[in-house]
């Protein structure tokens, strides 16, 4: 919270400094968190289940209304500006970060919502491009800010859908709904069990921060390959559904394929497609089992499921990489580890670890040293807590 207040103060002061005429009385502050996915990877675009948590790494946006229909943006951490008129919202080829905001405002306008001109400044500590959903956080910050400044109500789940559509259609990234959903609807101390088909969700209490910590370890690598590999996985899953439909006509997505049905028909699939589908079918089962394990306080079982998820992402879905495997293997050997796996789309980015609070310092030292020794890269490690989703801050 101390960091949140400091950052809120910083963006507020910058807004008043840059847009001198901004009326300090009318400055609004909004936060939107990054996320970590505890389990349920690549299941969201297969209509399946996920179990992410919003974390205490967030984007803070300060904004004030304007009397015209212009939007003036300043990304403090990048020292970059971007401006446009609400009557003509087009992608910015240079300040590409602004497209996450532009896309959301455009779609809100297209829904007939009274988006107003505004000045806005933002800053954050969600590491960029590290698989902690800095883009979803920026989209959700933009949506909530537009609603607060325009004084209109918009249902959070609707805003989540708008943010995802902005990323798919305006920014051009074919992501699922998980990241925006958890940035919008996360709750302090909880993970969120989401059915990505119906969008029904349930908050699942996490073990207390005094007992266990969520530790995110950043490999510091990002492969250029991630977008193309992501789209390739999506289409391999679709191919799997098309073939399995011949035998299971009622299925619409891999979510509808049970482990028993999969065992019966997997020989009908080309080998690579079969591997991809096997990951999804069993990952969905692991998410449901994880929810039960957390609800009954069986942290050991949850750790076992995290490990099985990583092995499946590594061997069947093939979205891990050398650095992620090294980081996870280091965690499996480290003091205090309950569970560890890669998190997010893969090919770099972060691992997520559930660690006994009393051993967290030793864990961090061990994993950092072991990773640096094997890769020559100094990783960043963030000890996190589950936080609330996007909202206006009353300061
Ligand atoms: C990225 C996407 C999500 C999800 C994950 C993989 O984070 O944005 O929608 O597909 O990858 O689980």
């Amino acid at each position: 919270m101390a960091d949140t207040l400091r950052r809120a103060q910083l963006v507020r002061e910058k807004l008043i400094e840059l847009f001198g005429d901004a009326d300090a009385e009318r400055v609004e502050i909004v936060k939107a968190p990054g996320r970590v996915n505890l389990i349920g990877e690549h299941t969201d675009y297969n209509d399946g289940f996920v179990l992410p948590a919003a974390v205490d790494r967030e984007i803070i946006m300060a904004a004030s209304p304007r009397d015209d229909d212009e939007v003036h943006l300043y990304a403090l951490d990048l020292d970059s500006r971007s401006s446009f008129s609400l009557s003509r919202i087009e992608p910015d080829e240079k300040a590409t970060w602004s497209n996450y905001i532009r896309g959301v405002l455009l779609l809100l306008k297209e829904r007939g919502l009274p988006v107003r001109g505004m000045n806005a400044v933002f800053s954050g500590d969600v590491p960029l491009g590290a698989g902690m959903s800095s883009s979803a956080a920026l989209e959700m910050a933009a949506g909530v800010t537009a609603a607060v400044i325009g004084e209109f109500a918009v249902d959070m789940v609707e805003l989540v859908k708008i943010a995802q559509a902005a990323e798919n259609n305006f920014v051009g990234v074919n992501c699922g709904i998980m990241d925006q959903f958890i940035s919008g609807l996360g709750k302090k101390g909880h993970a969120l069990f989401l059915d990505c088909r119906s969008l029904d969700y349930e908050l699942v209490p996490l073990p207390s921060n005094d007992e266990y910590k969520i530790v995110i370890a950043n490999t510091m690598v990002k492969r250029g390959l991630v977008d193309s590999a992501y789209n390739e996985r999506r289409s391999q899953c679709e191919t799997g559904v098309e073939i399995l439909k011949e035998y299971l006509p009622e299925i619409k997505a891999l979510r509808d394929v049970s482990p028993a049905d999969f065992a019966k028909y997997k020989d009908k699939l080309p080998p690579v497609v079969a591997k991809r589908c096997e990951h999804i079918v069993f990952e969905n089962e692991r998410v449901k089992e994880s929810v039960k394990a957390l609800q009954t306080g069986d942290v050991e079982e949850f750790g076992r499921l995290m490990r099985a998820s990583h092995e499946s992402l590594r061997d069947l879905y093939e979205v891990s990489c050398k650095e992620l495997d090294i980081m996870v293997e280091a965690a499996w050997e480290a003091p205090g580890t309950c569970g560890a796996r890669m998190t997010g789309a893969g090919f770099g980015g972060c691992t997520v670890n559930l660690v006994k609070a009393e051993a967290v310092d030793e864990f961090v030292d061990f994993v950092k040293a072991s990773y640096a020794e094997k890769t020559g890269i100094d990783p960043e490690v963030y000890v996190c807590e589950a936080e609330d989703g996007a909202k206006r801050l009353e300061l």
Side-chain angles (χ1 to χ4, degrees):
M1 195 61 192
D3 281 354
T4 300
L5 289 178
R6 205 170 334 113
R7 199 175 298 280
Q9 194 58 26
L10 191 73
V11 285
R12 188 175 212 281
E13 278 163 15
K14 196 71 192 176
L15 182 84
I16 293 167
E17 177 196 319
L18 282 180
F19 307 102
D21 55 351
D23 178 349
E25 291 291 301
R26 294 168 74 201
V27 174
E28 297 283 357
I29 310 282
V30 163
K31 79 139 200 183
R35 67 97 184 92
V36 67
N37 189 19
L38 299 176
I39 196 160
E41 217 64 83
H42 290 273
T43 44
D44 64 349
Y45 54 81
N46 286 295
D47 273 4
F49 302 103
V50 292
L51 187 68
V55 294
D56 51 351
R57 293 258 161 175
E58 58 203 6
I59 286 177
I60 307 281
M61 185 172 279
S64 59
R66 292 176 60 98
D67 292 328
D68 55 20
D69 76 347
E70 289 186 10
V71 175
H72 291 251
L73 303 169
Y74 179 63
L76 195 139
D77 307 322
L78 303 172
D79 185 23
S80 170
R81 293 178 83 140
S82 180
S83 303
F84 57 96
S85 157
L86 286 170
S87 57
R88 195 184 153 94
I89 305 182
E90 287 172 343
D92 185 332
E93 317 254 294
K94 287 203 192 104
T96 48
W97 55 266
S98 76
N99 294 332
Y100 299 99
I101 302 175
R102 289 166 182 253
V104 170
L105 299 192
L106 177 64
L107 292 193
L108 285 170
K109 262 195 65 191
E110 284 177 0
R111 297 280 162 102
L113 290 160
V115 180
R116 277 191 68 166
M118 63 179 174
N119 301 317
V121 174
F122 69 92
S123 161
D125 59 358
V126 190
L128 297 181
M132 286 178 68
S133 297
S134 51
S135 8
L138 186 51
E139 288 153 8
M140 294 309 292
V144 174
T145 302
V148 171
I149 295 291
E151 296 179 67
F152 60 84
V154 53
D155 176 68
M156 194 53 97
V157 175
E158 281 312 306
L159 193 53
V160 162
K161 290 188 199 162
I162 287 171
Q164 186 205 7
E167 181 140 353
N168 290 168
N169 307 326
F170 193 86
V171 179
V173 174
N174 206 10
C175 63
I177 200 160
M178 168 171 71
D179 305 343
Q180 290 79 8
F181 204 99
I182 187 64
S183 183
L185 288 113
K187 262 278 164 292
K188 195 176 176 63
H190 292 77
L192 186 147
F193 173 42
L194 174 65
D195 177 336
C196 297
R197 169 176 283 163
S198 65
L199 300 187
D200 288 342
Y201 67 95
E202 188 184 336
L203 293 166
V204 181
L206 287 166
S208 92
N209 285 314
D210 303 336
E211 281 180 281
Y212 295 96
K213 300 277 184 209
I214 298 170
V215 181
I216 302 173
N218 188 347
T219 61
M220 316 301 280
V221 299
K222 188 177 191 302
R223 299 271 181 273
L225 192 93
V226 57
D227 285 350
S228 56
Y230 188 87
N231 290 335
E232 186 190 47
R233 296 301 180 284
R234 282 188 81 135
S235 68
Q236 288 166 335
C237 291
E238 283 159 22
T239 304
V241 173
E242 282 317 306
I243 298 172
L244 290 172
K245 256 188 185 160
E246 292 172 32
Y247 310 92
L248 302 162
E250 67 290 355
I251 67 166
K252 291 198 176 60
L254 287 177
R255 138 74 176 278
D256 302 312
V257 181
S258 69
D261 280 340
F262 181 73
K264 239 194 242 165
Y265 301 113
K266 72 172 180 207
D267 293 347
K268 313 285 180 201
L269 301 169
V272 173
V273 173
K275 286 210 273 184
R276 307 299 187 242
C277 294
E278 183 172 345
H279 166 74
I280 301 298
V281 168
F282 288 92
E283 185 77 349
N284 276 326
E285 295 302 310
R286 280 188 287 270
V287 177
K288 291 185 270 178
E289 287 169 30
S290 294
V291 172
K292 274 192 218 137
L294 286 174
Q295 282 167 340
T296 54
D298 193 347
V299 176
E300 220 169 279
E301 169 67 359
F302 181 52
R304 195 191 61 74
L305 292 161
M306 288 175 80
R307 184 181 184 125
S309 169
H310 183 79
E311 289 168 346
S312 176
L313 288 157
R314 182 191 64 199
D315 302 336
L316 298 176
Y317 217 62
E318 295 178 285
V319 291
S320 188
C321 63
K322 187 179 88 202
E323 292 85 356
L324 282 168
D325 291 341
I326 290 173
M327 192 77 96
V328 166
E329 280 155 25
W332 286 340
E333 285 169 18
T337 312
C338 302
R341 55 181 286 276
M342 57 153 279
T343 185
F347 298 102
C350 295
T351 67
V352 58
N353 309 270
L354 191 67
V355 181
K356 288 200 178 103
E358 75 221 18
V360 79
D361 293 341
E362 274 173 273
F363 172 91
V364 172
D365 291 347
F366 183 95
V367 167
K368 273 187 163 174
S370 170
Y371 182 77
E373 190 199 314
K374 295 197 175 97
T375 61
I377 305 169
D378 271 332
E380 284 179 6
V381 177
Y382 324 111
V383 178
C384 292
E385 294 185 5
E387 258 302 332
D388 283 345
K391 60 182 179 186
R392 170 175 181 264
L393 295 178
E394 317 256 357
L395 296 173

